[in-house]
Amino acid sequence: MFKFMFTALIGIALIAIGIYSIRHPDSWWFRRSRDDIELSDLRIWYLKFAGKMIIAFGALVILMSFQHL
């Protein structure tokens, strides 16, 4: 039961990070250190696409956590 809860929480955390990257692509979390230039449209598109892929991976982690029940 512990493995199920742990992997499900990791999946939920991944989904939360993905949603945050879609809603706030200009956040300091997704910038390189000491990079103060404005983000290009291509970089914003890439961050939103990566957020969608992270959400899909988080959902996959949650689905795979059911094998521990």
Side-chain angles (χ1 to χ4, degrees):
M1 187 68 172
F2 174 74
K3 288 183 180 181
F4 167 72
M5 292 175 58
F6 181 72
T7 53
L9 286 175
I10 288 176
I12 290 170
L14 284 172
I15 290 174
I17 290 171
I19 290 171
Y20 187 78
S21 71
I22 290 172
R23 289 189 179 176
H24 304 289
D26 55 346
S27 174
W28 64 271
W29 274 18
F30 309 115
R31 288 183 181 246
R32 293 179 222 139
S33 62
R34 299 182 184 162
D35 188 12
D36 292 334
I37 62 174
E38 190 167 331
L39 296 176
S40 65
D41 290 337
L42 182 64
R43 176 103 173 139
I44 290 173
W45 175 84
Y46 173 74
L47 287 171
K48 288 184 177 186
F49 179 72
K52 291 174 186 172
M53 293 298 110
I54 291 172
I55 289 172
F57 185 69
L60 183 67
V61 167
I62 290 173
L63 287 175
M64 295 301 287
S65 72
F66 284 108
Q67 72 182 348
H68 296 293
L69 285 179

